[in-house]
Amino acid sequence: GDSVTQMEGPVTLSEEAFLTINCTYTATGYPSLFWYVQYPGEGLQLLLKATKADDKGSNKGFEATYRKETTSFHLEKGSVQVSDSAVYFCALTLSGSARQLTFGSGTQLTVLP
Amino acid sequence: DAGVIQSPRHEVTEMGQEVTLRCKPISGHDYLFWYRQTMMRGLELLIYFNNNVPIDDSGMPEDRFSAKMPNASFSTLKIQPSEPRDSAVYFCASSPAAAFYSNQPQHFGDGTRLSIL
């Protein structure tokens, strides 16, 4: 079946450090890929998305590139801030599917001042 | 635009009691999803609706769980009787129409934190 594998956390970084959170997927078709972020006490918010191979999604300084050859969608940010502390979820959904999202297990990020 | 609205935000009750969680999706969204989030199991899809019709309830853990969507602007998730292992955060999400436009994301509510004592 379809699945998403994320690097395990928690991840702790100092402010202004470089961030990478790895995400790989397995899918039977051609998925769209998403990163969601969950701040403490809140629901998940869409951070960025990419719908086809080689697309780059970006938002709030975060980027992720859809790599079909490596089935990956790694999240990166060049300089993290304390306010980026949250749980990050990688997810996929398949074209023509009934809109079900398959989530990774989430990666807790803590940024220290 | 109002987002997905869930109520209550917090619920604490004793085991054996009936619990009802409520969700108002974004207006015009045809799909509604119920998720459960726990530390042990992460995010689990419980059930989803399309145009108020339940499509897949294979994630509903037991017969104690039931969900309804009587109209396009309201859904409930009910647990009866509740048990301590049902303690979790329950999220509702909605997404726009057209099943094969899969690049449209789901929009999540802030969740209901449920504690069963």
Side-chain angles (χ1 to χ4, degrees), chain A residues 29-58:
Chain A
Y30 299 96
S32 293
L33 302 173
F34 305 87
W35 277 101
Y36 279 83
V37 58
Q38 184 180 26
Y39 298 104
E42 298 183 12
L44 280 71
Q45 303 173 25
L46 179 69
L47 180 60
L48 54 84
K49 67 179 183 183
T51 58
K52 61 183 187 297
D54 299 326
D55 269 3
K56 178 186 283 189
S58 61

mmCIF file of all heavy atoms in Angstrom, chain A residues 29-58:
data_model
loop_
_atom_site.group_PDB
_atom_site.id
_atom_site.type_symbol
_atom_site.label_atom_id
_atom_site.label_comp_id
_atom_site.label_asym_id
_atom_site.label_seq_id
_atom_site.Cartn_x
_atom_site.Cartn_y
_atom_site.Cartn_z
ATOM 1 N N GLY A 29 0.685 5.002 -7.698
ATOM 2 C CA GLY A 29 0.414 5.879 -8.827
ATOM 3 C C GLY A 29 1.342 7.074 -8.819
ATOM 4 O O GLY A 29 2.519 6.967 -8.474
ATOM 5 N N TYR A 30 0.775 8.222 -9.170
ATOM 6 C CA TYR A 30 1.554 9.459 -9.214
ATOM 7 C C TYR A 30 0.991 10.421 -8.168
ATOM 8 O O TYR A 30 0.023 11.135 -8.429
ATOM 9 C CB TYR A 30 1.496 10.065 -10.614
ATOM 10 C CG TYR A 30 2.082 9.147 -11.654
ATOM 11 C CD1 TYR A 30 1.269 8.306 -12.409
ATOM 12 C CD2 TYR A 30 3.459 9.082 -11.846
ATOM 13 C CE1 TYR A 30 1.807 7.442 -13.345
ATOM 14 C CE2 TYR A 30 4.012 8.224 -12.777
ATOM 15 C CZ TYR A 30 3.183 7.404 -13.522
ATOM 16 O OH TYR A 30 3.713 6.540 -14.436
ATOM 17 N N PRO A 31 1.614 10.433 -7.006
ATOM 18 C CA PRO A 31 1.025 11.200 -5.911
ATOM 19 C C PRO A 31 1.298 12.689 -5.995
ATOM 20 O O PRO A 31 2.222 13.138 -6.673
ATOM 21 C CB PRO A 31 1.727 10.616 -4.676
ATOM 22 C CG PRO A 31 3.070 10.209 -5.186
ATOM 23 C CD PRO A 31 2.826 9.707 -6.585
ATOM 24 N N SER A 32 0.477 13.446 -5.311
ATOM 25 C CA SER A 32 0.797 14.813 -4.915
ATOM 26 C C SER A 32 1.373 14.731 -3.511
ATOM 27 O O SER A 32 0.953 13.897 -2.711
ATOM 28 C CB SER A 32 -0.457 15.694 -4.928
ATOM 29 O OG SER A 32 -0.938 15.866 -6.236
ATOM 30 N N LEU A 33 2.316 15.611 -3.236
ATOM 31 C CA LEU A 33 3.028 15.549 -1.961
ATOM 32 C C LEU A 33 2.845 16.849 -1.176
ATOM 33 O O LEU A 33 2.770 17.939 -1.771
ATOM 34 C CB LEU A 33 4.522 15.296 -2.209
ATOM 35 C CG LEU A 33 4.842 14.015 -2.979
ATOM 36 C CD1 LEU A 33 6.330 13.968 -3.317
ATOM 37 C CD2 LEU A 33 4.446 12.782 -2.179
ATOM 38 N N PHE A 34 2.768 16.705 0.128
ATOM 39 C CA PHE A 34 2.483 17.846 0.997
ATOM 40 C C PHE A 34 3.384 17.809 2.232
ATOM 41 O O PHE A 34 3.775 16.736 2.693
ATOM 42 C CB PHE A 34 1.026 17.803 1.489
ATOM 43 C CG PHE A 34 -0.005 17.719 0.394
ATOM 44 C CD1 PHE A 34 -0.386 16.486 -0.109
ATOM 45 C CD2 PHE A 34 -0.591 18.848 -0.104
ATOM 46 C CE1 PHE A 34 -1.341 16.392 -1.109
ATOM 47 C CE2 PHE A 34 -1.550 18.765 -1.109
ATOM 48 C CZ PHE A 34 -1.924 17.538 -1.600
ATOM 49 N N TRP A 35 3.656 18.984 2.747
ATOM 50 C CA TRP A 35 4.153 19.125 4.102
ATOM 51 C C TRP A 35 3.139 19.934 4.887
ATOM 52 O O TRP A 35 2.718 21.020 4.456
ATOM 53 C CB TRP A 35 5.509 19.835 4.150
ATOM 54 C CG TRP A 35 6.668 18.919 3.897
ATOM 55 C CD1 TRP A 35 7.370 18.767 2.744
ATOM 56 C CD2 TRP A 35 7.270 18.023 4.842
ATOM 57 N NE1 TRP A 35 8.359 17.828 2.895
ATOM 58 C CE2 TRP A 35 8.319 17.353 4.174
ATOM 59 C CE3 TRP A 35 7.037 17.724 6.188
ATOM 60 C CZ2 TRP A 35 9.136 16.399 4.803
ATOM 61 C CZ3 TRP A 35 7.834 16.781 6.814
ATOM 62 C CH2 TRP A 35 8.863 16.138 6.124
ATOM 63 N N TYR A 36 2.740 19.357 6.031
ATOM 64 C CA TYR A 36 1.867 20.047 6.969
ATOM 65 C C TYR A 36 2.664 20.364 8.231
ATOM 66 O O TYR A 36 3.592 19.635 8.600
ATOM 67 C CB TYR A 36 0.669 19.165 7.363
ATOM 68 C CG TYR A 36 -0.467 19.150 6.378
ATOM 69 C CD1 TYR A 36 -0.443 18.321 5.258
ATOM 70 C CD2 TYR A 36 -1.581 19.952 6.564
ATOM 71 C CE1 TYR A 36 -1.490 18.297 4.361
ATOM 72 C CE2 TYR A 36 -2.645 19.936 5.672
ATOM 73 C CZ TYR A 36 -2.589 19.105 4.570
ATOM 74 O OH TYR A 36 -3.636 19.090 3.688
ATOM 75 N N VAL A 37 2.266 21.441 8.912
ATOM 76 C CA VAL A 37 2.904 21.810 10.177
ATOM 77 C C VAL A 37 1.828 21.915 11.250
ATOM 78 O O VAL A 37 0.717 22.389 10.984
ATOM 79 C CB VAL A 37 3.703 23.132 10.044
ATOM 80 C CG1 VAL A 37 2.826 24.290 9.588
ATOM 81 C CG2 VAL A 37 4.396 23.482 11.353
ATOM 82 N N GLN A 38 2.168 21.437 12.429
ATOM 83 C CA GLN A 38 1.239 21.494 13.564
ATOM 84 C C GLN A 38 1.916 22.215 14.716
ATOM 85 O O GLN A 38 2.859 21.684 15.324
ATOM 86 C CB GLN A 38 0.819 20.089 13.989
ATOM 87 C CG GLN A 38 -0.219 20.080 15.104
ATOM 88 C CD GLN A 38 -0.626 18.680 15.518
ATOM 89 O OE1 GLN A 38 0.125 17.718 15.367
ATOM 90 N NE2 GLN A 38 -1.832 18.541 16.056
ATOM 91 N N TYR A 39 1.442 23.417 15.010
ATOM 92 C CA TYR A 39 1.950 24.166 16.157
ATOM 93 C C TYR A 39 1.245 23.676 17.413
ATOM 94 O O TYR A 39 0.126 23.143 17.342
ATOM 95 C CB TYR A 39 1.750 25.662 15.944
ATOM 96 C CG TYR A 39 2.494 26.195 14.742
ATOM 97 C CD1 TYR A 39 1.828 26.488 13.554
ATOM 98 C CD2 TYR A 39 3.874 26.377 14.775
ATOM 99 C CE1 TYR A 39 2.504 26.956 12.445
ATOM 100 C CE2 TYR A 39 4.563 26.835 13.667
ATOM 101 C CZ TYR A 39 3.876 27.121 12.509
ATOM 102 O OH TYR A 39 4.550 27.575 11.406
ATOM 103 N N PRO A 40 1.852 23.862 18.562
ATOM 104 C CA PRO A 40 1.276 23.338 19.803
ATOM 105 C C PRO A 40 -0.168 23.766 20.004
ATOM 106 O O PRO A 40 -0.504 24.947 19.897
ATOM 107 C CB PRO A 40 2.196 23.922 20.875
ATOM 108 C CG PRO A 40 3.501 24.126 20.185
ATOM 109 C CD PRO A 40 3.151 24.517 18.779
ATOM 110 N N GLY A 41 -1.025 22.806 20.280
ATOM 111 C CA GLY A 41 -2.421 23.091 20.566
ATOM 112 C C GLY A 41 -3.271 23.429 19.361
ATOM 113 O O GLY A 41 -4.438 23.822 19.509
ATOM 114 N N GLU A 42 -2.711 23.266 18.181
ATOM 115 C CA GLU A 42 -3.459 23.624 16.972
ATOM 116 C C GLU A 42 -3.603 22.431 16.032
ATOM 117 O O GLU A 42 -2.984 21.380 16.229
ATOM 118 C CB GLU A 42 -2.760 24.768 16.245
ATOM 119 C CG GLU A 42 -2.667 26.045 17.056
ATOM 120 C CD GLU A 42 -2.042 27.183 16.270
ATOM 121 O OE1 GLU A 42 -1.891 27.056 15.035
ATOM 122 O OE2 GLU A 42 -1.702 28.190 16.894
ATOM 123 N N GLY A 43 -4.427 22.627 15.002
ATOM 124 C CA GLY A 43 -4.555 21.600 13.978
ATOM 125 C C GLY A 43 -3.428 21.696 12.965
ATOM 126 O O GLY A 43 -2.541 22.539 13.074
ATOM 127 N N LEU A 44 -3.480 20.805 11.999
ATOM 128 C CA LEU A 44 -2.449 20.801 10.962
ATOM 129 C C LEU A 44 -2.734 21.905 9.942
ATOM 130 O O LEU A 44 -3.877 22.118 9.549
ATOM 131 C CB LEU A 44 -2.428 19.443 10.246
ATOM 132 C CG LEU A 44 -1.700 18.316 10.950
ATOM 133 C CD1 LEU A 44 -2.439 17.834 12.181
ATOM 134 C CD2 LEU A 44 -1.464 17.152 9.986
ATOM 135 N N GLN A 45 -1.671 22.566 9.521
ATOM 136 C CA GLN A 45 -1.799 23.593 8.490
ATOM 137 C C GLN A 45 -0.924 23.189 7.317
ATOM 138 O O GLN A 45 0.188 22.723 7.511
ATOM 139 C CB GLN A 45 -1.308 24.949 9.005
ATOM 140 C CG GLN A 45 -1.983 25.457 10.245
ATOM 141 C CD GLN A 45 -1.304 26.710 10.756
ATOM 142 O OE1 GLN A 45 -0.667 27.449 10.000
ATOM 143 N NE2 GLN A 45 -1.424 26.967 12.043
ATOM 144 N N LEU A 46 -1.437 23.417 6.120
ATOM 145 C CA LEU A 46 -0.627 23.131 4.949
ATOM 146 C C LEU A 46 0.552 24.099 4.905
ATOM 147 O O LEU A 46 0.375 25.314 4.987
ATOM 148 C CB LEU A 46 -1.459 23.275 3.683
ATOM 149 C CG LEU A 46 -0.700 23.012 2.383
ATOM 150 C CD1 LEU A 46 -0.331 21.537 2.281
ATOM 151 C CD2 LEU A 46 -1.524 23.442 1.174
ATOM 152 N N LEU A 47 1.755 23.559 4.761
ATOM 153 C CA LEU A 47 2.946 24.385 4.664
ATOM 154 C C LEU A 47 3.336 24.592 3.203
ATOM 155 O O LEU A 47 3.574 25.703 2.769
ATOM 156 C CB LEU A 47 4.100 23.734 5.429
ATOM 157 C CG LEU A 47 5.425 24.455 5.443
ATOM 158 C CD1 LEU A 47 5.292 25.839 6.062
ATOM 159 C CD2 LEU A 47 6.473 23.638 6.186
ATOM 160 N N LEU A 48 3.395 23.490 2.454
ATOM 161 C CA LEU A 48 3.709 23.580 1.037
ATOM 162 C C LEU A 48 3.302 22.297 0.345
ATOM 163 O O LEU A 48 3.026 21.300 1.006
ATOM 164 C CB LEU A 48 5.193 23.892 0.814
ATOM 165 C CG LEU A 48 6.227 22.986 1.467
ATOM 166 C CD1 LEU A 48 6.492 21.754 0.642
ATOM 167 C CD2 LEU A 48 7.539 23.736 1.714
ATOM 168 N N LYS A 49 3.281 22.347 -0.987
ATOM 169 C CA LYS A 49 2.876 21.165 -1.737
ATOM 170 C C LYS A 49 3.597 21.140 -3.079
ATOM 171 O O LYS A 49 4.124 22.151 -3.554
ATOM 172 C CB LYS A 49 1.365 21.170 -1.978
ATOM 173 C CG LYS A 49 0.881 22.276 -2.909
ATOM 174 C CD LYS A 49 -0.620 22.215 -3.131
ATOM 175 C CE LYS A 49 -1.047 23.286 -4.126
ATOM 176 N NZ LYS A 49 -2.515 23.321 -4.321
ATOM 177 N N ALA A 50 3.602 19.946 -3.687
ATOM 178 C CA ALA A 50 4.124 19.762 -5.041
ATOM 179 C C ALA A 50 3.301 18.662 -5.692
ATOM 180 O O ALA A 50 3.035 17.633 -5.073
ATOM 181 C CB ALA A 50 5.597 19.390 -5.020
ATOM 182 N N THR A 51 2.896 18.901 -6.913
ATOM 183 C CA THR A 51 1.943 17.981 -7.531
ATOM 184 C C THR A 51 2.538 17.120 -8.630
ATOM 185 O O THR A 51 1.882 16.184 -9.099
ATOM 186 C CB THR A 51 0.736 18.748 -8.095
ATOM 187 O OG1 THR A 51 1.229 19.699 -9.045
ATOM 188 C CG2 THR A 51 0.004 19.468 -6.987
ATOM 189 N N LYS A 52 3.773 17.406 -9.070
ATOM 190 C CA LYS A 52 4.376 16.543 -10.076
ATOM 191 C C LYS A 52 5.889 16.566 -9.921
ATOM 192 O O LYS A 52 6.461 17.434 -9.242
ATOM 193 C CB LYS A 52 3.967 16.969 -11.480
ATOM 194 C CG LYS A 52 4.367 18.362 -11.888
ATOM 195 C CD LYS A 52 3.827 18.662 -13.272
ATOM 196 C CE LYS A 52 4.353 19.985 -13.792
ATOM 197 N NZ LYS A 52 3.943 21.124 -12.984
ATOM 198 N N ALA A 53 6.519 15.619 -10.544
ATOM 199 C CA ALA A 53 7.963 15.448 -10.416
ATOM 200 C C ALA A 53 8.703 16.727 -10.782
ATOM 201 O O ALA A 53 8.342 17.436 -11.721
ATOM 202 C CB ALA A 53 8.423 14.301 -11.297
ATOM 203 N N ASP A 54 9.714 17.025 -9.970
ATOM 204 C CA ASP A 54 10.606 18.176 -10.113
ATOM 205 C C ASP A 54 9.978 19.496 -9.671
ATOM 206 O O ASP A 54 10.653 20.527 -9.687
ATOM 207 C CB ASP A 54 11.142 18.311 -11.535
ATOM 208 C CG ASP A 54 11.960 17.111 -11.971
ATOM 209 O OD1 ASP A 54 12.648 16.533 -11.103
ATOM 210 O OD2 ASP A 54 11.881 16.731 -13.141
ATOM 211 N N ASP A 55 8.721 19.473 -9.296
ATOM 212 C CA ASP A 55 8.103 20.672 -8.715
ATOM 213 C C ASP A 55 8.789 20.998 -7.396
ATOM 214 O O ASP A 55 9.141 20.096 -6.633
ATOM 215 C CB ASP A 55 6.615 20.433 -8.429
ATOM 216 C CG ASP A 55 5.729 20.811 -9.594
ATOM 217 O OD1 ASP A 55 6.272 21.208 -10.643
ATOM 218 O OD2 ASP A 55 4.503 20.695 -9.441
ATOM 219 N N LYS A 56 8.921 22.280 -7.125
ATOM 220 C CA LYS A 56 9.417 22.716 -5.827
ATOM 221 C C LYS A 56 8.321 23.494 -5.141
ATOM 222 O O LYS A 56 7.826 24.481 -5.676
ATOM 223 C CB LYS A 56 10.664 23.593 -5.979
ATOM 224 C CG LYS A 56 11.193 24.112 -4.636
ATOM 225 C CD LYS A 56 12.344 25.095 -4.808
ATOM 226 C CE LYS A 56 13.618 24.383 -5.134
ATOM 227 N NZ LYS A 56 14.784 25.305 -5.096
ATOM 228 N N GLY A 57 7.949 23.042 -3.955
ATOM 229 C CA GLY A 57 7.021 23.792 -3.132
ATOM 230 C C GLY A 57 7.805 24.671 -2.180
ATOM 231 O O GLY A 57 8.870 24.281 -1.699
ATOM 232 N N SER A 58 7.283 25.864 -1.894
ATOM 233 C CA SER A 58 7.986 26.746 -0.972
ATOM 234 C C SER A 58 6.999 27.636 -0.236
ATOM 235 O O SER A 58 5.947 28.010 -0.778
ATOM 236 C CB SER A 58 9.015 27.606 -1.700
ATOM 237 O OG SER A 58 8.378 28.419 -2.657
#
